[in-house]
Amino acid sequence: MNRTTFLVYARRAPFGGRLMQSQIDAMNGILDEWDRRQSTGKVIDNRWLAYMLATVFHETGGTMQPVIENLNYSAARLTEVWPSRFPTIASAKPFARNPRKLANKVYGGRMGNSAPDDGWLYRGRGLPQITGKDNYDKFGLAKTPEKAAEMGTAIRILFDGMISGLFTGMKLADYFNQVDNDPVGARKIVNGTDKAKLIAGYYRNFLDALEASRVPAQLPDVKTEAAKADDVPAERSGTAVTTVGGLFGGAGLSAVLGVNNPYAFGIAALLIVIGSIAAFMFVTGRWSVNRAPAR
């Protein structure tokens, strides 16, 4: 795999034109684990890898970093998240802004949690999060649940959970095989049908990047600089500014300055406005360029 090509394509989509070093490191960690398992013949289908990357992108909000469940809810929010447990604001207030008490309330006495503080001890952690003592035990972490938030362990959980079906009983091979190609249905591997179509879109982005990265030589549209970290505020990011600004800014300015016809001047000015809006959308990550991989 040409990782430079992979990162350049992934930067465009689903990352919206910017990549942080932490995101690059996380993806390299996932790719390293894929390569290790591929060398043993245990994984062979790039669709599996694409869907795992898409799942991590969604579950972590694009950070690609392990998550520890946030249980710091307001009373109003508790009635929305757990309406059967908190049917009224009054019933939710004792647990509002009290993560530990809330965890022991909503997770206590189930999923293998039996001790008084098990709900808190075995709260959600990971890339896809695991919750409950029984689930931690599946991955050998019942005695050290905090390790699920460490990158190396979280990646192992990701692979074992999705390949072997340890999350829900469903596994990648059920949805990606010689007959089936179902990135929407594959959401059942982790969490029913929640945001299934959205994650399927991320899957296609990552699959494009993986397919492009199979070409050993550097593709014409791949610039090495675009595979590097961009740890600066979006408005100062040079990637999107160069791409869109170079297209619209220089050409538009030249057009305006060199046009005497008022109608042509108006058209040129309009192009600059459109270009400026496009530049803003790219820089802020609202738009991205998603190119087809080379065949």
Side-chain angles (χ1 to χ4, degrees):
M1 175 190 295
N2 186 323
R3 292 202 185 182
T4 295
T5 298
F6 170 79
L7 291 171
V8 170
Y9 273 67
R11 172 193 281 273
R12 296 169 186 160
F15 287 96
R18 300 177 65 243
L19 274 179
M20 302 295 99
Q21 188 61 53
S22 58
Q23 294 168 321
I24 292 173
D25 291 343
M27 286 190 286
N28 277 327
I30 293 170
L31 295 177
D32 287 344
E33 180 65 11
W34 176 263
D35 288 345
R36 186 185 71 78
R37 297 194 184 212
Q38 196 171 46
S39 69
T40 65
K42 293 182 179 179
V43 292
I44 55 174
D45 194 331
N46 269 355
R47 293 175 298 174
W48 293 14
L49 177 56
Y51 197 79
M52 284 191 286
L53 287 163
T55 296
V56 173
F57 182 86
H58 174 73
E59 296 289 342
T60 66
T63 69
M64 311 302 282
Q65 300 298 304
V67 174
I68 299 177
E69 187 175 8
N70 178 13
L71 292 162
N72 188 26
Y73 292 107
S74 67
R77 182 59 178 154
L78 285 174
T79 64
E80 296 171 357
V81 177
W82 286 287
S84 61
R85 292 179 178 270
F86 306 107
T88 65
I89 294 291
S91 65
K93 279 185 176 180
F95 302 92
R97 306 303 179 193
N98 192 333
R100 191 175 203 132
K101 187 175 182 179
L102 175 61
N104 289 322
K105 166 71 173 177
V106 298
Y107 296 143
R110 63 191 186 98
M111 298 183 292
N113 296 335
S114 55
D117 206 35
D118 276 358
W120 174 252
L121 187 62
Y122 298 108
R123 65 193 183 279
R125 298 180 184 88
L127 289 167
Q129 296 177 44
I130 54 173
T131 308
K133 187 175 181 179
D134 283 347
N135 286 315
Y136 277 85
D137 196 38
K138 289 179 185 179
F139 298 95
L141 296 172
K143 294 182 178 179
T144 55
E146 68 283 353
K147 288 187 176 294
E150 298 174 2
M151 181 60 79
T153 303
I155 289 174
R156 176 176 66 81
I157 292 170
L158 168 72
F159 274 73
D160 291 345
M162 298 191 73
I163 292 173
S164 301
L166 295 183
F167 292 136
T168 65
M170 310 305 293
K171 53 187 182 295
L172 286 163
D174 295 331
Y175 300 95
F176 303 103
N177 51 57
Q178 291 182 338
V179 176
D180 300 305
N181 183 41
D182 186 6
V184 175
R187 181 58 176 158
K188 294 176 183 176
I189 298 168
V190 174
N191 191 5
T193 60
D194 178 58
K195 301 295 190 295
K197 291 183 178 179
L198 178 65
I199 299 166
Y202 300 147
Y203 157 80
R204 295 182 184 96
N205 295 150
F206 280 115
L207 188 61
D208 282 350
L210 290 169
E211 290 296 314
S213 71
R214 294 171 62 182
V215 179
Q218 188 160 304
L219 299 174
D221 63 342
V222 172
K223 306 302 180 186
T224 303
E225 286 298 313
K228 296 180 180 179
D230 192 20
D231 285 8
V232 296
E235 66 273 11
R236 292 169 50 200
S237 173
T239 306
V241 172
T242 301
T243 302
V244 182
L247 177 62
F248 291 99
L253 183 61
S254 297
V256 170
L257 294 178
V259 171
N260 294 319
N261 185 300
Y263 296 104
F265 183 91
I267 293 173
L270 178 61
L271 287 174
I272 287 183
V273 172
I274 294 172
S276 299
I277 293 172
F280 172 78
M281 297 297 282
F282 274 104
V283 170
T284 57
R286 290 171 171 81
W287 288 353
S288 62
V289 178
N290 189 17
R291 307 195 184 190
R295 300 295 183 185

